[in-house]
């Protein structure tokens, strides 16, 4: 039998059949690496995903989940301002500590090649912080930088234990090097439309870095364009034209639409860019589909755009690649919602939804293949395991769901699923603060004021109850804790209740941080002993 025929027999509905691949691996017809990739990408496994564990410890919306490089530890951050490290396979808490943030934690990630002992975080207080895990499970946190407004996302340079980037509502993109004392302010995003360039900076919600080329990163926020930047254009102390993006991406029908914005970005292993829009759809762009450094069209918007990227391409190629794939069915109106790829070679696209479901599409073709009931309310975060077909999800609820392919039967699409997103539109001014939605969902909203005493750092006692109206931290940034990245907050009774098994909290005030966040750092040491079991969860969770 020819090799072509053998390959044909190993396919099932266009995908590799796992049973045939098992046999081929045993007889040496397929390498272990290729078998692992094919097995993990099997649609049969995607259709058998179901909840494996519910991880319960947080006392607020869980705004971020992320695996370490090995995939055995899951890290999460929440409105309760705590960071938790999980043994997700057992469902146990390995470590829980206060982040040092004065407001909701929006992002928490391990730095690579740090033995999972260096964690970077950003939050609604605008601060960017570092947490170092010391001997005896003590945690030392320190201040790294500040955004004027909420800092929604950060991205880490692949394989680099020192470099990461952040973005925030001030439109600022910063580059952090943990070997230096201060971040580098790269640029502030402003509208590319000449009529709007003198307006306020573009509020940024998402930032992502290309895994195949760490010189390239993309940002997106409250405008229609996803912008691609090349860090090699930044030289020395001067911007040297770096403020202009190397490329822009936008579906043709959204160009000039001031009501849309980007909530999530993700790069595939093939350098494709996935862009999720509020109250719209998800779009996939290949590198050749960019609109160039000047995306303002010289022809009517209704005309199909021609790539203006600096790389040369023929008119035929431009026409073939000018239309992006679109993924429909979810609802993205009420929160800052992420988007991601799933599979060893980014074979699938995954997103949460306002309806509390998880949606999975085939990347190639954009067909919706799976809808999973996840939360009672909004699902915001979907994070794939780095090596195996496992997903972690979180959102408005205070728990985390871990999904594995253990279902006995293959799932089918529900017949009553809405294939169009909700037409309910939230004005952009209130996109990040849904007080009415909070009241309707929980009965009453949580209002935590941040103490704005200038240059004064107050310590937090982890054994104390933190149900006061004022936060225990003074960040110099006046923010309302109602404005979560999830735009939802839990009841007052659940705010930052410290666990009885948390031992002590020590704050070492090195330098006071002034009201602008300059020239200061603070160190928090949280000593936590033992592994937290599921029965450590408070009754009111």
């Amino acid at each position: 039998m020819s090799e072509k025929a053998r390959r044909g027999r190993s396919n099932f509905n266009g995908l590799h059949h796992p049973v045939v691949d098992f046999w081929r691996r045993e007889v040496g017809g397929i390498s272990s690496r290729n078998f692992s990739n094919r097995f993990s990408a099997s649609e049969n496994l995607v259709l058998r995903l179901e909840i494996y564990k519910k991880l319960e410890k947080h006392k607020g919306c869980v705004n971020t989940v992320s695996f370490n490089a090995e995939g055995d530890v899951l890290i999460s951050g929440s409105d309760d301002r705590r960071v938790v490290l999980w043994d997700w396979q057992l469902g146990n808490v390995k470590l829980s500590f206060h982040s040092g943030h004065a407001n909701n934690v929006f992002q928490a990630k391990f730095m690579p090649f740090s033995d999972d002992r260096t964690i970077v975080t950003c939050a609604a207080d605008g601060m960017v912080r570092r947490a170092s895990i010391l001997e005896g499970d003590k945690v030392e946190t320190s201040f790294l930088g500040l955004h004027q407004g909420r800092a929604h996302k950060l991205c880490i340079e692949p394989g680099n234990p020192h470099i990461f980037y952040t973005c925030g509502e001030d439109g600022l993109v910063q580059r952090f090097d943990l070997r230096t004392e201060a971040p580098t302010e790269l640029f502030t995003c402003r509208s590319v439309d000449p009529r709007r360039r003198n307006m306020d900076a573009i509020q940024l919600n998402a930032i992502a870095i290309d895994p195949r080329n760490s010189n390239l990163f993309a940002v997106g926020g409250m405008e229609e364009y996803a912008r691609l930047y090349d860090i090699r254009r930044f030289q020395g102390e001067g911007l040297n034209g770096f403020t202009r993006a190397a490329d822009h991406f936008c579906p043709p029908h959204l160009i000039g639409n001031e009501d849309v914005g980007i909530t999530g970005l993700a790069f595939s292993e093939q350098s494709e860019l996935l862009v999720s829009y509020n109250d719209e759809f998800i779009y996939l762009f290949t590198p050749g589909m960019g609109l160039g450094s000047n995306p303002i069209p010289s022809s009517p918007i209704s005309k199909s755009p021609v790539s203006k990227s600096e790389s040369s391409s023929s008119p035929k190629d431009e026409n073939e690649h000018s239309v992006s794939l679109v993924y429909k069915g979810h609802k993205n109106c009420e929160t800052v919602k992420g988007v991601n790829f799933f599979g060893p070679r980014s074979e699938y696209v995954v997103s949460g939804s306002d309806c509390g479901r998880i949606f999975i599409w085939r990347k190639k073709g954009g067909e919706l293949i799976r809808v999973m009931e996840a939360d009672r309310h909004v699902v915001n975060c979907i994070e794939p395991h780095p090596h195996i077909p496992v997903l972690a999800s979180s959102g408005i609820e205070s728990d985390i769901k871990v999904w594995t392919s253990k279902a006995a039967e293959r799932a089918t699409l529900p017949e009553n699923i809405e294939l169009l997103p909700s037409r309910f539109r939230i004005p952009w001014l209130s996109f990040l603060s849904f007080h009415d939605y909070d009241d309707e969902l929980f009965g009453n909203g949580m209002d935590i004021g941040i103490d704005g005493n200038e240059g004064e750092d107050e310590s937090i006692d982890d054994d104390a109850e933190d149900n006061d109206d004022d936060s225990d931290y003074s960040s110099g940034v006046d923010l309302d804790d109602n404005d979560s990245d999830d735009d939802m907050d839990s009841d007052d009774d659940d705010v930052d209740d410290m666990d009885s098994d948390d031992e002590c909290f020590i704050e070492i005030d090195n330098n006071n941080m002034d009201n602008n966040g300059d020239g200061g750092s603070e160190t928090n040491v949280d000593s936590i002993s033992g592994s937290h079991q599921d029965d450590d969860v408070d009754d009111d969770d």
Side-chain angles (χ1 to χ4, degrees), residues 188-201:
T188 297
C189 272
R190 300 195 179 276
S191 177
V192 297
D193 188 336
R195 299 169 297 179
R196 292 185 282 166
R197 283 177 184 168
N198 294 327
M199 298 176 64
D200 293 338

Side-chain angles (χ1 to χ4, degrees), residues 298-314:
S298 56
S299 56
I301 296 176
S302 60
K303 182 179 179 180
S304 298
V306 176
S307 175
K308 300 179 183 178
S309 61
E310 296 175 352
S311 59
S312 61
S313 58
S314 67

Side-chain angles (χ1 to χ4, degrees), residues 499-515:
D499 306 295
S500 59
D501 53 348
D502 289 352
E503 294 181 0
C504 66
F505 188 95
I506 305 170
E507 178 162 343
I508 303 171
D509 188 2
N510 294 331
N511 292 294
N512 288 331
M513 181 177 64
D514 61 25
N515 197 42

Side-chain angles (χ1 to χ4, degrees), residues 108-137:
K109 286 183 176 291
F110 291 107
M111 293 300 292
F113 299 107
S114 66
D115 196 25
D116 297 336
R117 291 186 173 273
T118 300
I119 298 166
V120 289
T121 60
C122 62
D125 55 13
M127 286 195 289
V128 181
R129 300 182 67 88
R130 170 181 179 171
S132 300
I133 302 176
L134 310 177
E135 294 297 328
D137 283 344

Side-chain angles (χ1 to χ4, degrees), residues 342-399:
F342 183 48
R345 294 176 181 170
S346 307
E347 290 89 350
Y348 304 96
V349 171
V350 293
S351 174
S353 175
D354 293 340
C355 62
R357 300 183 181 102
I358 296 172
F359 287 71
I360 305 179
W361 301 265
R362 291 194 193 104
K363 185 185 76 173
K364 185 177 182 180
E367 180 184 357
L368 179 65
I369 63 169
R370 187 75 199 274
V371 176
M372 304 188 298
E373 299 288 342
D375 290 2
R376 292 170 298 171
H377 308 300
V378 180
V379 178
N380 288 319
C381 305
I382 309 291
E383 185 70 15
H385 190 280
H387 310 301
I388 57 177
V390 171
L391 286 173
S393 67
S394 69
I396 299 307
E397 296 183 11
S398 60
D399 64 3

Side-chain angles (χ1 to χ4, degrees), residues 116-392:
D116 297 336
R117 291 186 173 273
T118 300
I119 298 166
V120 289
T121 60
C122 62
D125 55 13
M127 286 195 289
V128 181
R129 300 182 67 88
R130 170 181 179 171
S132 300
I133 302 176
L134 310 177
E135 294 297 328
D137 283 344
K138 292 184 178 180
V139 178
E140 178 182 287
T141 72
S142 57
F143 171 84
L144 296 178
L146 187 68
H147 285 269
Q148 299 302 317
R150 286 169 283 231
H152 285 282
K153 297 296 179 184
L154 60 84
C155 66
I156 296 171
E157 184 173 307
N160 193 321
H162 309 294
I163 306 297
F164 69 98
Y165 299 79
T166 64
C167 69
E169 288 186 355
D170 53 2
L172 177 64
V173 175
Q174 299 188 82
R175 183 177 187 266
F176 289 80
D177 188 332
L178 296 179
R179 296 164 296 187
T180 62
E181 295 182 356
T184 301
E185 296 185 357
L186 296 179
F187 58 89
T188 297
C189 272
R190 300 195 179 276
S191 177
V192 297
D193 188 336
R195 299 169 297 179
R196 292 185 282 166
R197 283 177 184 168
N198 294 327
M199 298 176 64
D200 293 338
I202 302 296
Q203 296 185 22
L204 297 179
N205 298 321
I207 185 168
I209 196 164
D210 188 342
R212 297 186 63 182
N213 185 351
S214 59
N215 294 307
L216 304 178
F217 64 92
V219 298
M222 293 167 63
E223 66 165 0
E224 67 270 36
Y225 296 106
R227 308 180 184 210
L228 183 71
Y229 290 88
D230 190 334
I231 191 62
R232 292 169 295 189
R233 294 190 176 189
F234 181 83
Q235 298 177 359
E237 299 296 329
L239 293 177
N240 295 314
F242 189 67
T243 53
R244 172 173 290 187
D247 214 342
H248 295 75
F249 298 89
C250 181
H253 69 284
L254 294 183
I255 295 176
N257 188 334
E258 299 182 11
D259 295 325
V260 298
I262 294 168
T263 66
L265 296 171
F267 276 103
S268 72
E269 293 299 323
Q270 296 79 34
S271 296
E272 301 155 312
L273 182 62
L274 199 61
V275 184
S276 181
Y277 286 86
N278 74 293
D279 203 10
E280 242 277 339
F281 305 127
I282 299 169
Y283 296 89
L284 182 72
F285 300 95
T286 60
M289 295 173 61
L291 303 173
S293 59
N294 182 17
I296 300 298
S298 56
S299 56
I301 296 176
S302 60
K303 182 179 179 180
S304 298
V306 176
S307 175
K308 300 179 183 178
S309 61
E310 296 175 352
S311 59
S312 61
S313 58
S314 67
K316 179 180 179 180
D317 292 335
E318 290 172 348
N319 291 331
E320 288 178 352
H321 298 289
S322 61
V323 179
S324 59
L325 277 171
V326 59
Y327 306 91
K328 302 179 180 180
H330 72 306
K331 297 175 183 175
N332 182 12
C333 305
E334 299 171 353
T335 59
V336 178
K337 202 168 283 81
V339 69
N340 224 321
F341 290 97
F342 183 48
R345 294 176 181 170
S346 307
E347 290 89 350
Y348 304 96
V349 171
V350 293
S351 174
S353 175
D354 293 340
C355 62
R357 300 183 181 102
I358 296 172
F359 287 71
I360 305 179
W361 301 265
R362 291 194 193 104
K363 185 185 76 173
K364 185 177 182 180
E367 180 184 357
L368 179 65
I369 63 169
R370 187 75 199 274
V371 176
M372 304 188 298
E373 299 288 342
D375 290 2
R376 292 170 298 171
H377 308 300
V378 180
V379 178
N380 288 319
C381 305
I382 309 291
E383 185 70 15
H385 190 280
H387 310 301
I388 57 177
V390 171
L391 286 173

